Amino acid sequence: INVANFHFSEMSAEEINSPMKKLAFRNADLTDESFNELLKLLRYTPELLQAEFDDCALDGVGDFQPSESDIVRELGKVETLIIRRLHIPRFYSFNDLRSVYSLLEKVKRITVENSKVFLVPCEFSQRLRSLEFLDLSENLMVEEYLRNSACEGAWPSLQTLILSQNYLKSIERTGEILLTLKNLTDLDISRNSFRPMPDTCRWPPKMRFLNLSSTGIWAVKMCIPQTLEVLDVSNNNLDSFSLFLPRLRELYISRNKLKTLPDGSLFPVLLVMKIRENALSTFSKDQLGSFPKLETLEAGDNHFVCSCELLSFTLGQPALSQVLPDWPDSYLCNSPPRLRGQRVQEARPSVLECHQALLVSGVCCALLLLILLIAGLCHHFHGLWYLRMMW
């Protein structure tokens, strides 16, 4: 819909008392003037909680001028604002939204996704006192401007910050910049192209969740905060994981290059681990037993060698599906060649493959008995005398 020339028809607020809780605009064309008019709708929607703008176009420079009385009266109960793929033709002339700072002071959740955001002015961040959730994924944020956005006193109530797929380069600088966010617990900085991880970093003191998936990292070091309860390092280039994380409860490490399960003693309270699509060849009862509290393990789509040890372990554990939610369909043999493509659950090795030592011992014993028998018969029937005579 094109609401570029929209003008709201005034009416008595008592005439309409809508129970609407969500108002969404999709593929709508807006201007600065029509946005001011749309704000008047809030007078007639006292129960509105969420406003959403998807794939909209704003032909303006952010010159919003709601009256002071409108700001106080029209804010209402709106707690969530979602903006996705907003197109602003005059983007580089856009204002700093100073005119609507106070309009958003009580908003708790803001998402501005894929809309070319490169800066949230410090003063604006400081005015967002109630903000608990902020999603700025798929934008143009870099460390220099993030430092201005997360200035001292910015987002004092913020708990969750999503900066996925921006232009961040340094994990160390990002953590240091966010030290001003004293209540931050969840941080998503996935799909950024980070340089190699340093040995040490500083992070907000209450960090519990960190998403570093799809960042191209080759190793994890002590830079990872020890306070974490959930860590996602999926889709990277890790070939080992040997970091002690005493509080970690969930580890997501799929789509890497690990050849063995990490040592369970590094994660004394780990409950969930997803390690799909790595280079695992096997796992054993001892390896699983090293995780004292593990409840869920997803290890499918790896290159399993269907050895006798692995197959005997899986056959002896009929309750594997309780720990492996993707069992048995995602567990296929990669070798030996005759079992390739078969499910591990259904693969059956040959006696020769699994009992080689026993078979060799049996053959040796049989040969020894045969030699002894021949020697005894030769002695009983004077075989040596006959051999000498024949010679």
Side-chain angles (χ1 to χ4, degrees):
I1 187 173
N2 189 331
V3 291
N5 299 315
F6 173 77
H7 292 284
F8 188 77
S9 300
E10 296 289 343
M11 62 182 72
S12 171
E14 287 74 20
E15 296 179 19
I16 298 178
N17 189 9
S18 172
M20 178 169 56
K21 296 184 182 298
K22 176 180 176 179
L23 174 62
F25 292 87
R26 295 190 173 92
N27 297 296
D29 294 328
L30 308 168
T31 63
D32 292 346
E33 293 76 16
S34 65
F35 180 81
N36 293 333
E37 292 293 314
L38 289 173
L39 286 177
K40 298 177 181 178
L41 287 171
L42 295 176
R43 299 177 183 176
Y44 307 96
T45 55
E47 301 301 319
L48 189 67
L49 299 175
Q50 178 174 328
E52 182 175 330
F53 298 85
D54 285 349
D55 298 293
C56 294
L58 176 61
D59 185 12
V61 293
D63 187 18
F64 308 130
Q65 296 178 351
S67 66
E68 190 65 28
S69 59
D70 287 338
I71 291 176
V72 176
R73 186 170 64 251
E74 294 176 351
L75 183 62
K77 298 180 181 180
V78 176
E79 295 182 345
T80 303
L81 173 64
I82 299 175
I83 300 174
R84 298 190 183 96
R85 298 172 295 279
L86 178 64
H87 176 57
I88 304 175
R90 289 182 281 173
F91 169 70
Y92 292 104
S93 299
F94 206 75
N95 293 344
D96 63 357
L97 297 177
R98 188 178 303 272
S99 58
V100 294
Y101 280 5
S102 57
L103 189 66
L104 301 174
E105 283 185 350
K106 295 184 179 180
V107 174
K108 294 183 178 181
R109 290 171 291 275
I110 294 179
T111 295
V112 185
E113 178 183 308
N114 195 7
S115 300
K116 296 184 179 179
V117 175
F118 63 90
L119 173 69
V120 180
C122 175
E123 185 181 351
F124 191 16
S125 298
Q126 292 171 337
R127 297 290 289 273
L128 295 172
R129 299 184 182 91
S130 300
L131 192 65
E132 299 174 358
F133 175 94
L134 177 59
D135 183 353
L136 295 175
S137 56
E138 299 183 53
N139 282 295
L140 306 175
M141 299 293 292
V142 297
E143 285 87 348
E144 289 77 8
Y145 296 135
L146 179 61
R147 185 180 299 278
N148 185 281
S149 301
C151 59
E152 194 66 38
W155 307 321
S157 302
L158 192 66
Q159 299 175 13
T160 301
L161 176 61
I162 301 177
L163 294 169
S164 177
Q165 197 169 340
N166 277 269
Y167 289 87
L168 304 176
K169 300 294 183 183
S170 171
I171 296 177
E172 182 180 19
R173 289 187 63 192
T174 300
E176 184 177 348
I177 290 168
L178 298 179
L179 287 173
T180 57
L181 308 180
K182 305 302 182 183
N183 292 306
L184 187 68
T185 60
D186 297 4
L187 176 62
D188 183 348
I189 49 177
S190 61
R191 296 189 291 170
N192 285 281
S193 298
F194 286 118
R195 294 191 292 268
M197 185 179 295
D199 293 329
T200 59
C201 301
R202 293 193 299 163
W203 298 94
K206 297 183 179 180
M207 284 273 294
R208 299 291 181 269
F209 171 90
L210 178 61
N211 189 342
L212 281 170
S213 63
S214 303
T215 54
I217 57 176
W218 290 81
V220 288
K221 301 182 180 180
M222 291 299 293
C223 174
I224 302 293
Q226 296 285 293
T227 58
L228 289 185
E229 296 179 3
V230 181
L231 174 62
D232 189 344
V233 287
S234 303
N235 196 28
N236 284 299
N237 298 301
L238 304 177
D239 56 13
S240 64
F241 194 103
S242 57
L243 181 64
F244 179 62
L245 296 172
R247 301 181 185 179
L248 196 68
R249 302 170 68 87
E250 299 179 23
L251 174 61
Y252 301 91
I253 197 169
S254 298
R255 299 186 300 282
N256 278 283
K257 300 177 181 179
L258 274 73
K259 296 182 180 179
T260 61
L261 291 177
D263 185 357
S265 62
L266 299 172
F267 321 111
V269 296
L270 190 69
L271 300 176
V272 177
M273 179 165 63
K274 296 187 178 181
I275 192 169
R276 298 171 58 91
E277 299 181 48
N278 276 268
L280 298 184
S281 59
T282 187
F283 54 86
S284 64
K285 182 178 180 179
D286 291 339
Q287 286 179 317
L288 292 181
S290 67
F291 296 91
K293 296 187 177 182
L294 189 66
E295 297 178 355
T296 301
L297 171 66
E298 288 190 15
D301 299 317
N302 277 284
H303 307 301
F304 290 107
V305 176
C306 288
S307 62
C308 300
E309 181 184 6
L310 175 62
L311 296 179
S312 62
F313 167 68
T314 57
L315 288 173
Q317 302 289 330
L320 273 179
S321 59
Q322 297 179 7
V323 179
L324 308 176
D326 51 348
W327 176 268
D329 293 335
S330 297
Y331 295 79
L332 304 179
C333 296
N334 187 63
S335 64
R338 70 177 189 85
L339 296 178
R340 183 171 296 146
Q342 291 189 32
R343 296 197 302 185
V344 174
Q345 183 188 40
E346 299 169 351
R348 294 294 181 269
S350 66
V351 176
L352 181 61
E353 291 173 338
C354 289
H355 304 285
Q356 289 182 355
L358 184 61
L359 185 63
V360 170
S361 299
V363 170
C364 291
C365 290
L367 287 174
L368 180 60
L369 290 174
L370 181 61
I371 292 171
L372 291 175
L373 178 62
I374 294 173
L377 290 173
C378 286
H379 176 73
H380 181 74
F381 293 107
H382 308 289
L384 292 176
W385 183 83
Y386 284 107
L387 287 174
R388 285 200 301 271
M389 294 301 101
M390 289 174 62
W391 174 251

